[in-house]
Amino acid sequence: MKKALIVMGLLGLAEISCAQIVTTSSSQLSTTSGSEIAIKTTGNVTIAQDVSNAKVDLELFGTAQTISENLILRKLTLSGLGDKTISKNLTITESINFALGVLKPSASSKILYSGSIDGIIGGSDNSYVDGFFFNQTKGAQLFPVGASILGYAPATIIRSESQDEIGIQVVNQSPSFIADTDSDVKKLDNTHYWEVNTTNVADISSLVKLSLKGVDPTLAFGDSITLSVVQADNLGGVVEGLGGTDTNEDVTSTRDFTKAFLGVGASKELTVTVIDVITPGQDGHNDYLNILHIDKFEIRKVKLLDRYGLLIKEWPEYVNGAANGYDFNRLSSGNYICIVEYGNPDSGTKSIQQMVSVIKY
């Protein structure tokens, strides 16, 4: 196996005044499959040759540096204070160490990581990605993003099943989100937001965890008010609450996110309530069993029993209205027992029982 160690600093090679790593198509930096190349520099990096068949490790420890050609790395280490500008496409296949320095993609470039979540090391107010960070790992995905003044504010996709490239950036400006008065979302943190960039957000099918960096710590003050993840289709849009479980550092949604703009809010705990009367085929109201807020939960198991406890109908995933697939006209007038189990996979379930009267005139 061939190994090459290239170490360049401001004093390393006097003839290269800015300590740049520069190659062209006619340069003599040649590699064979499996070659290992370690580069450590305080200067800019411009490698025009294709070194994708080698295992390239790069450490940037300067104060202001640029990678100006497409580059595939095995490992990247940031160890110098200042911006590391990416003007083309940068792919990292194994690990990134965020020790010191901000990785900053330009508008026409992409930073893509394909290693495991354990390969992303560090992350702080002094070291993060300021812009979109794309991840192509199946399973849990960390997005070590941040923004100027806000600092390090990462996001994590808990269980991605998508093989598509998923990009997330945090933007330190108001998304102008709006909370619907009829929603469970009562307050919003409108200081910053996260944007998701992928082929189809709904295909991700995952909970999401967002940093509480920069969020007002008094946001969730009040009776039955808890922090939650919120989502919207666009900036300035009406948000949907996704529930939340929080620590001192982050909040995790209790339902999968399906929209491209994410933020933090405070929601009043939803109360699932069974409407205690069904009048099938009468006036268009209460024609079906109606369970308020059941649609806000992933687990929605419902049983309808007669007054003696015999099972009439069971729904593994109940929805209100005709979509539940049952004709309530089949029921005789009288009293029935409705049992509802609801919740989310990562936050447990609750169960309620309610007597329901069927009235047919």
Side-chain angles (χ1 to χ4, degrees):
M1 179 181 291
K2 291 185 177 181
K3 295 186 178 180
L5 176 61
I6 305 174
V7 181
M8 295 189 179
L10 290 175
L11 301 178
L13 292 176
E15 69 272 24
I16 303 179
S17 60
C18 57
Q20 299 184 91
I21 306 296
V22 181
T23 78
T24 65
S25 57
S26 61
S27 300
Q28 296 303 305
L29 177 59
S30 61
T31 64
T32 58
S33 181
S35 297
E36 293 188 356
I37 302 173
I39 302 172
K40 181 175 181 179
T41 180
T42 59
N44 298 327
V45 178
T46 304
I47 300 178
Q49 293 171 301
D50 181 8
V51 292
S52 58
N53 63 343
K55 299 176 181 178
V56 182
D57 300 343
L58 174 63
E59 181 175 351
L60 301 175
F61 70 110
T63 56
Q65 297 173 268
T66 299
I67 296 178
S68 54
E69 292 291 343
N70 295 332
L71 188 58
I72 297 175
L73 301 175
R74 178 176 62 174
K75 298 178 181 179
L76 175 65
T77 299
L78 307 180
S79 59
L81 188 65
D83 290 346
K84 321 300 178 188
T85 303
I86 310 302
S87 59
K88 292 291 182 69
N89 293 332
L90 175 64
T91 300
I92 305 98
T93 62
E94 187 172 306
S95 69
I96 310 178
N97 189 340
F98 291 91
L100 195 61
V102 175
L103 205 57
K104 204 164 187 176
S106 66
S108 60
S109 69
K110 176 186 286 185
I111 299 172
L112 174 63
Y113 176 71
S114 58
S116 70
I117 191 171
D118 294 335
I120 300 177
I121 304 164
S124 68
D125 287 344
N126 294 317
S127 195
Y128 52 82
V129 176
D130 187 359
F132 274 110
F133 179 87
F134 286 84
N135 201 318
Q136 202 175 18
T137 302
K138 186 175 181 179
Q141 297 176 328
L142 172 63
F143 296 80
V145 295
S148 178
I149 302 176
L150 174 65
Y152 184 52
T156 304
I157 290 176
I158 303 300
R159 56 172 193 271
S160 173
E161 298 300 326
S162 173
Q163 286 295 289
D164 295 334
E165 296 176 3
I166 302 171
I168 294 182
Q169 69 170 345
V170 61
V171 180
N172 190 27
Q173 66 183 44
S174 174
S176 301
F177 287 152
I178 301 169
D180 192 322
T181 54
D182 293 331
S183 148
D184 60 307
V185 180
K186 301 306 177 185
K187 301 176 186 177
L188 287 170
D189 179 82
N190 261 323
T191 59
H192 57 278
Y193 64 92
W194 290 260
E195 182 179 359
V196 183
N197 184 341
T198 191
T199 304
N200 189 341
V201 177
D203 285 346
I204 297 173
S205 300
S206 175
L207 307 181
V208 63
K209 178 165 64 176
L210 302 177
S211 168
L212 291 177
K213 175 76 174 181
V215 173
D216 182 355
T218 67
L219 188 68
F221 282 11
D223 292 338
S224 301
I225 297 290
T226 59
L227 289 176
S228 65
V229 174
V230 299
Q231 65 175 5
D233 287 315
N234 46 59
L235 300 179
V238 176
V239 299
E240 174 188 0
L242 298 177
T245 57
D246 62 277
T247 68
N248 290 331
E249 296 182 350
D250 50 59
V251 57
T252 302
S253 67
T254 55
R255 296 192 299 281
D256 292 351
F257 74 99
T258 57
K259 299 179 179 180
F261 294 92
L262 304 171
V264 177
S267 299
K268 193 172 183 65
E269 184 178 358
L270 290 173
T271 302
V272 171
T273 304
V274 179
I275 302 301
D276 62 359
V277 64
I278 303 172
T279 57
Q282 301 299 318
D283 56 4
H285 298 288
N286 296 324
D287 286 346
Y288 309 92
L289 175 65
N290 190 10
I291 305 174
L292 299 180
H293 299 140
I294 191 68
D295 59 312
K296 301 296 185 181
F297 299 90
E298 292 185 47
I299 299 170
R300 307 183 302 275
K301 298 178 182 179
V302 175
K303 293 180 181 180
L304 187 65
L305 315 176
D306 67 15
R307 60 179 179 171
Y308 302 108
L310 297 177
L311 181 66
I312 301 296
K313 176 65 177 176
E314 182 175 7
W315 294 268
E317 295 182 349
Y318 190 81
V319 291
N320 287 313
N324 65 52
Y326 185 75
D327 181 7
F328 286 88
N329 267 309
R330 297 168 56 184
L331 299 176
S332 302
S333 293
N335 294 326
Y336 296 81
I337 303 167
C338 180
I339 301 173
V340 180
E341 182 183 350
Y342 66 96
N344 293 295
D346 295 319
S347 58
T349 61
K350 296 181 180 180
S351 181
I352 59 172
Q353 180 173 310
Q354 174 67 50
M355 187 70 73
V356 177
S357 297
V358 173
I359 301 173
K360 301 175 74 174
Y361 300 103

